[in-house]
Amino acid sequence: DVKVTQSSRYLVKRTGEKVFLECVQDMDHENMFWYRQDPGLGLRLIYFSYDVKMKEKGDIPEGYSVSREKKERFSLILESASTNQTSMYLCASSITSGRRDEQYFGPGTRLTVT
Amino acid sequence: DAKTTQPPSMDCAEGRAANLPCNHSTISGNEYVYWYRQIHSQGPQYIIHGLKNNETNEMASLIITEDRKSSTLILPHATLRDTAVYYCIVLSGGYNKLIFGAGTRLAVHP
């Protein structure tokens, strides 16, 4: 089974802190994604990566950056956390094989910024 | 990007088939229909996908109309553990960019 793990299930940070959210997948997938999920807004794509050291902006990249130094690991960075970044953060990975674009999601990290 | 329309909520009795509809009238010829679900406090889970033929796997069946403007996800024997939000997604261009809408909240009751 594909396993996508995220470093924390719950996280509380203060405004202005630098926050690192880590995601690791164990299936050698090329593609990795970061989403945030908010009530009434559904899932929104922040950044994605289709290869090591490659990244692409999603729909809401402002206030975030990412790092992918190894194939299995994709990090989301909040340079200076703000209260409007309080949300559920979901990481996903997928393999690109023809049109087989099934994404496998981690359990999520619920981040609260106070 | 093709948009999808789903009912906000549905109920189903345990053991009965759950039929979840989705409209995607602006779908283009090379776009697939994907279904995911999200159980409370968990990440979304892939269920099934299809292009134009009906598909079946161990979790569900997907029926796509001939004009491809709508589809139905069928859970043949719903259980309480199938209570979740179900998302119908049409895959847009680029690198696997899924667009999640509001989905259908399915409640399976005893």
Side-chain angles (χ1 to χ4, degrees):
Chain A
D1 281 351
V2 176
K3 195 166 183 183
V4 180
T5 56
Q6 296 183 229
S7 48
S8 306
R9 286 303 304 271
Y10 300 94
L11 207 54
V12 180
K13 295 292 181 180
R14 293 187 183 274
T15 300
E17 278 193 83
K18 191 169 185 175
V19 181
F20 291 87
L21 301 182
E22 302 285 337
C23 176
V24 178
Q25 52 94 2
D26 65 358
M27 284 300 293
D28 202 36
H29 283 174
E30 292 92 350
N31 306 308
M32 296 188 74
F33 310 81
W34 275 106
Y35 296 86
R36 64 177 282 178
Q37 185 172 29
D38 302 288
L41 296 176
L43 274 80
R44 293 179 291 169
L45 182 65
I46 304 172
Y47 267 97
F48 64 100
S49 168
Y50 51 89
D51 203 352
V52 176
K53 296 191 185 296
M54 306 300 285
K55 61 185 179 183
E56 291 283 341
K57 293 180 180 179
D59 299 317
I60 51 164
E62 296 79 18
Y64 303 94
S65 62
V66 291
S67 173
R68 191 154 180 217
E69 296 296 319
K70 294 185 178 182
K71 191 174 186 179
E72 67 271 18
R73 189 179 297 268
F74 192 36
S75 302
L76 181 70
I77 303 154
L78 288 66
E79 294 290 342
S80 178
S82 63
T83 55
N84 63 11
Q85 293 179 309
T86 291
S87 186
M88 170 69 87
Y89 289 88
L90 291 156
C91 175
S93 71
S94 75
I95 191 167
T96 302
S97 175
R99 294 304 300 267
R100 200 167 165 267
D101 303 321
E102 301 140 38
Q103 292 191 17
Y104 296 86
F105 283 81
T109 296
R110 186 166 292 282
L111 172 68
T112 301
V113 182
T114 61
Chain B
D1 296 345
K3 293 185 178 176
T4 62
T5 305
Q6 299 178 252
S9 63
M10 293 183 66
D11 288 319
C12 180
E14 190 176 19
R16 304 297 294 268
N19 298 298
L20 293 96
C22 179
N23 286 321
H24 32 77
S25 58
T26 59
I27 193 170
S28 62
N30 62 349
E31 288 182 314
Y32 284 64
V33 179
Y34 279 72
W35 283 83
Y36 282 74
R37 72 179 182 184
Q38 188 171 22
I39 296 169
H40 183 61
S41 297
Q42 297 182 23
Q45 176 190 23
Y46 165 82
I47 300 174
I48 198 167
H49 75 280
L51 182 63
K52 48 185 166 183
N53 297 322
N54 297 337
E55 302 288 343
T56 296
N57 64 19
E58 65 278 4
M59 289 183 69
S61 295
L62 175 61
I63 309 297
I64 303 175
T65 57
E66 193 168 341
D67 63 7
R68 303 210 326 123
K69 292 185 177 182
S70 66
S71 60
T72 301
L73 178 74
I74 301 172
L75 308 178
H77 306 286
T79 71
L80 299 178
R81 286 178 294 182
D82 292 322
T83 292
V85 178
Y86 287 78
Y87 297 97
C88 170
I89 300 162
V90 172
L91 187 67
S92 62
Y95 287 94
N96 313 272
K97 185 180 175 184
L98 297 171
I99 299 174
F100 288 79
T104 296
R105 188 171 297 276
L106 175 69
V108 181
H109 50 85

